[in-house]
Amino acid sequence: DFKTGSGNSLAIRDISLSFNELKAFGRKLRDIHIQARPERETWRVKLSGQNVMGEVEYGPRADQPGNRFAGRFSKLAIPNEEPDAVTQGPADLGELPAEVDLSAQSFSFRERDLGELALSFRVEKSGLRIDTLKLANPDSRLDGGGWLSASPLRTTELDLKLAAGDLGKLMKRLGYTEAVKGGNLAVKGKITWLGRPEDFSLDRLGGKLEVSLKSGRFTQLDPGAGKLLGILSLQALPRRITLDFRDVFSEGFAFDRISGSIAVAAGVMRTEDLEIRGPSARVTMTGSADVVAETQDL
């Protein structure tokens, strides 16, 4: 729709578009309806569809250069990337708004319900400065912030804090084998890797984490289900020592508390103070575990 502007020009009053399928960034949004209208220098957009329900505002920031993008969603589900999607080149930070502020009551990624999302960041010369990152669901809460590099030669650094009232349920929510029953988890620290988010790989992972896990039980794991968890569950002990502890560990090891600090460099996790306390045993561990090669020296 149009309204008469000054002179002979016509100004846009509102826009209404409907798509059975809209492809963007290698992903498909289905049955989506878009309504947009300008208010002075700001655009207000309503989105409704299978994947997204919410409102967006885009316009100049108050008393600061650059534009601001704000989205408030009741539902935001990022669909899986299409198999034939063309790999995008590095993002041009100059094309992004100077400030982004997003919130979603229900956020899903790769068909996993991750809960409530709050994300805000500022665009700087060589990356994104994350001021707020929050993900909350009935099983856990993640808080974070830090720096996402836009250069393959600069390090990404994220400060993270994760709390889960039931680690087993969180693993199930994320699509992993429920190798732990119960378990009150608290993790805080920093992770780093050289490059952009898309450059992440386990062999580049670094950082330091403080870990505490209370009141849970490692379940019986199939061989190869997860070597690192297999170490902590102590199922391998009967094969490594001559004493017979199968009655203690083979059906799953209950623990009262697991705590310690873990330093990570190039995908190798090192600890000098990891302690496991349980009704059947008290275990201390020092050494390293290579999560890429799946080897241990403990």
Side-chain angles (χ1 to χ4, degrees):
D1 293 338
F2 299 91
K3 62 181 179 180
T4 303
S6 59
N8 297 322
S9 64
L10 292 177
I12 294 175
R13 186 175 67 189
D14 59 67
I15 299 172
S16 179
L17 299 171
S18 294
F19 300 91
N20 291 329
E21 185 177 275
L22 177 63
K23 191 170 183 178
F25 304 105
R27 305 172 192 272
K28 288 182 180 178
L29 302 176
R30 302 184 187 279
D31 297 328
I32 186 168
H33 181 66
I34 302 172
Q35 290 182 297
R37 57 186 171 86
E39 291 185 2
R40 296 182 181 179
E41 296 179 293
T42 299
W43 278 92
R44 299 185 184 276
V45 183
K46 289 186 178 181
L47 303 170
S48 58
Q50 286 187 11
N51 303 96
V52 58
M53 294 284 293
E55 297 185 1
V56 168
E57 291 184 9
Y58 180 80
R61 294 193 295 177
D63 303 323
Q64 297 183 69
N67 290 318
R68 178 176 182 267
F69 179 97
R72 300 291 179 262
F73 302 95
S74 59
K75 177 182 180 181
L76 180 60
I78 307 298
N80 291 333
E81 195 170 35
E82 292 296 302
D84 59 348
V86 177
T87 302
Q88 301 290 323
D92 183 357
L93 296 183
E95 297 178 355
L96 295 177
E99 182 180 330
V100 174
D101 185 3
L102 298 175
S103 66
Q105 295 175 9
S106 175
F107 175 68
S108 300
F109 181 69
R110 293 182 178 175
E111 300 180 350
R112 305 294 179 192
D113 179 11
L114 301 180
E116 187 175 347
L117 168 71
L119 172 65
S120 64
F121 62 83
R122 291 167 286 137
V123 178
E124 299 184 1
K125 288 185 178 180
S126 55
L128 305 180
R129 179 71 60 188
I130 300 176
D131 297 313
T132 303
L133 170 60
K134 294 181 180 179
L135 270 175
N137 55 59
D139 303 321
S140 65
R141 178 185 173 104
L142 173 68
D143 292 274
W147 171 264
L148 285 179
S149 173
S151 166
L153 302 179
R154 182 167 179 175
T155 300
T156 287
E157 299 181 353
L158 297 176
D159 295 304
L160 300 174
K161 182 179 179 181
L162 173 65
D166 190 318
L167 176 58
K169 289 183 179 180
L170 175 59
M171 294 181 71
K172 188 175 181 180
R173 176 182 290 272
L174 297 177
Y176 294 105
T177 302
E178 199 171 356
V180 178
K181 291 289 187 182
N184 189 310
L185 174 68
V187 179
K188 64 178 180 179
K190 174 177 286 188
I191 62 171
T192 66
W193 66 88
L194 181 64
R196 305 156 297 178
E198 59 265 36
D199 296 321
F200 173 84
S201 61
L202 287 175
D203 59 353
R204 293 184 177 211
L205 184 63
K208 188 171 183 179
L209 301 171
E210 297 289 335
V211 180
S212 174
L213 182 60
K214 300 178 182 178
S215 303
R217 178 173 63 86
F218 290 103
T219 60
Q220 182 95 29
L221 294 178
D222 295 328
K227 290 188 176 181
L228 188 58
L229 284 175
I231 295 170
L232 296 180
S233 68
L234 307 181
Q235 291 178 54
L237 268 181
R239 297 194 297 272
R240 297 200 190 317
I241 60 178
T242 58
L243 299 178
D244 187 354
F245 287 140
R246 283 174 294 185
D247 60 328
V248 176
F249 304 120
S250 62
E251 296 303 320
F253 178 37
F255 57 85
D256 297 322
R257 182 182 179 90
I258 300 174
S259 61
S261 58
I262 299 173
V264 188
V268 178
M269 306 174 71
R270 301 183 185 277
T271 182
E272 299 298 329
D273 60 355
L274 188 66
E275 182 180 51
I276 306 174
R277 287 178 176 265
S280 303
R282 176 183 174 188
V283 182
T284 57
M285 288 187 184
T286 63
S288 64
D290 189 325
V291 296
V292 180
E294 293 192 327
T295 58
Q296 302 89 35
D297 181 10
L298 292 164

